[in-house]
Amino acid sequence: MSIRYTFGGDEHLFIECSEEMSLEAFFTSLSMATGVRESGIKGVTEICPANASFQIKFNPDIIHPDDILREVKSIEGAASKAEPVIKTRIVEIPVFYNDPWTHETLMRFRERHQDPAGTDLDYAARINNFGSVDDFVAAHSGSPWFVSMVGFVAGLPFMYQMVERQRQIQVPKYLRPRTDTPRLTVGHGGCFGCIYSVRGAGGYQMFGITPMPIFDPTQTTSYLRDFMVFFRPGDIVKFKPTGRDAYDQAVEDVDKGRFAPPIREVSFDLREFQKDIDGYNATLEGMLNGH
């Protein structure tokens, strides 16, 4: 589809780059949002990127809606010629799959689920044609995930699995949302993974939990002292399955200020990724492990 522009009230311009999510649509959205930010258009007060779109808030007393529309459309032309390469980072996130806390929660809400007789992991493995939950966990943690959006709830990342479309894990949300989800639950809805940054309501399937805080408004967590939100769009996430002992140790390390998530700065080239997805992912993982 061609890029669609829509005004929201007197102060917002919504730019929809695609009706469906893809890394190509994300790169178009990110490139345009970056172009708007770098252009310094007078009157722009906020830019909010999403999976395949972004929204601009502007002051109509400073810039007329027709003028901002014209400015952004000119940036669209430049963005279409930009190389699909970004400087970003890859981070390893430990996950305790099939943990007792999400298990207790999902059992409390079975009447809201498509498969009341099983668990979220059982259901996800079955409908994605995996032979076992272990096979499903291996697939979930075996490839990296691209953070395409942060928000909806403060600090919550939406993540897109970096494999061919036919291999992407897809699981519908609960039939009715839960009123409770443990903080730091690793969830999935549709084609998107997420990590619940805070405890609260939710409808995504629950696969496990991470010991690593990703949102801290007090900024007392050692690696969140500079900014309360850990993730940013463009981050690449690699999940690392962990057991109860390692989970407990990580929680203790976080509490004592000695937990440091493995992070490497990388350059991501969409064209090279598309040429050899598994090979490119292996290279990224090698960078994370220092190879």
Side-chain angles (χ1 to χ4, degrees):
M1 63 170 280
S2 59
I3 293 178
R4 183 162 59 192
Y5 296 86
T6 310
F7 285 106
D10 298 329
E11 299 180 336
H12 297 90
L13 177 62
F14 178 64
I15 301 94
E16 186 179 11
C17 299
S18 175
E19 290 182 347
E20 63 178 23
M21 176 59 205
S22 67
L23 286 179
E24 294 86 349
F26 168 79
F27 266 74
T28 300
S29 171
L30 181 65
S31 180
M32 287 187 65
T34 301
V36 171
R37 183 176 296 108
E38 292 178 347
S39 67
I41 301 171
K42 289 184 179 180
V44 170
T45 59
E46 191 172 356
I47 304 167
C48 182
N51 297 315
S53 61
F54 65 103
Q55 184 165 274
I56 298 169
K57 184 177 182 181
F58 62 94
N59 185 339
D61 293 332
I62 297 176
I63 185 167
H64 191 276
D66 291 343
D67 293 332
I68 194 168
L69 180 60
R70 185 174 59 254
E71 293 267 16
V72 176
K73 282 187 173 180
S74 70
I75 290 169
E76 174 190 341
S80 66
K81 300 179 180 68
E83 293 188 353
V85 180
I86 59 171
K87 298 291 185 183
T88 186
R89 58 186 185 164
I90 182 169
V91 56
E92 184 179 87
I93 305 292
V95 180
F96 183 13
Y97 288 92
N98 204 15
D99 66 281
W101 304 283
T102 60
H103 182 81
E104 184 276 330
T105 303
L106 66 87
M107 295 308 292
R108 278 193 283 129
F109 292 96
R110 285 335 275 167
E111 80 285 356
R112 305 185 183 206
H113 196 272
Q114 293 88 344
D115 183 13
T119 68
D120 293 9
L121 278 168
D122 293 334
Y123 176 67
R126 187 178 76 251
I127 68 170
N128 283 277
N129 299 313
F130 288 98
S132 67
V133 166
D134 287 345
D135 291 341
F136 176 83
V137 168
H140 187 270
S141 60
S143 60
W145 297 71
F146 203 93
V147 176
S148 57
M149 172 181 165
V150 180
F152 186 72
V153 174
L156 184 150
F158 287 84
M159 297 174 287
Y160 187 77
Q161 193 177 19
M162 294 168 61
V163 294
E164 296 86 352
R165 182 159 298 217
Q166 63 269 23
R167 291 169 54 197
Q168 286 179 344
I169 292 168
Q170 296 196 46
V171 192
K173 295 188 289 186
Y174 274 44
L175 298 174
R176 288 187 294 129
R178 301 176 303 274
T179 57
D180 191 23
T181 307
R183 173 176 170 263
L184 300 178
T185 290
V186 175
H188 198 95
C191 70
F192 284 105
C194 83
I195 302 174
Y196 284 77
S197 52
V198 297
R199 182 180 182 181
Y204 278 22
Q205 307 285 336
M206 296 183 288
F207 298 159
I209 200 164
T210 177
M212 178 183 155
I214 58 172
F215 172 64
D216 179 9
T218 69
Q219 295 180 240
T220 54
T221 304
S222 58
Y223 54 88
L224 295 175
R225 286 179 182 144
D226 292 335
F227 191 54
M228 67 181 69
V229 172
F230 179 77
F231 286 110
R232 49 194 186 230
D235 279 347
I236 298 170
V237 173
K238 188 67 170 60
F239 293 124
K240 180 183 179 181
T242 188
R244 178 63 188 264
D245 290 346
Y247 172 88
D248 289 343
Q249 183 62 58
V251 169
E252 180 181 336
D253 290 344
V254 169
D255 289 343
K256 293 185 177 180
R258 61 189 184 213
F259 182 88
I263 300 173
R264 293 291 182 273
E265 301 294 325
V266 298
S267 177
F268 180 83
D269 188 322
L270 179 61
R271 293 163 304 186
E272 294 301 314
F273 169 78
Q274 291 170 329
K275 288 178 186 177
D276 179 12
I277 291 176
D278 288 341
Y280 199 88
N281 286 344
T283 299
L284 288 172
E285 188 171 355
M287 293 177 183
L288 181 62
N289 295 326
H291 298 156

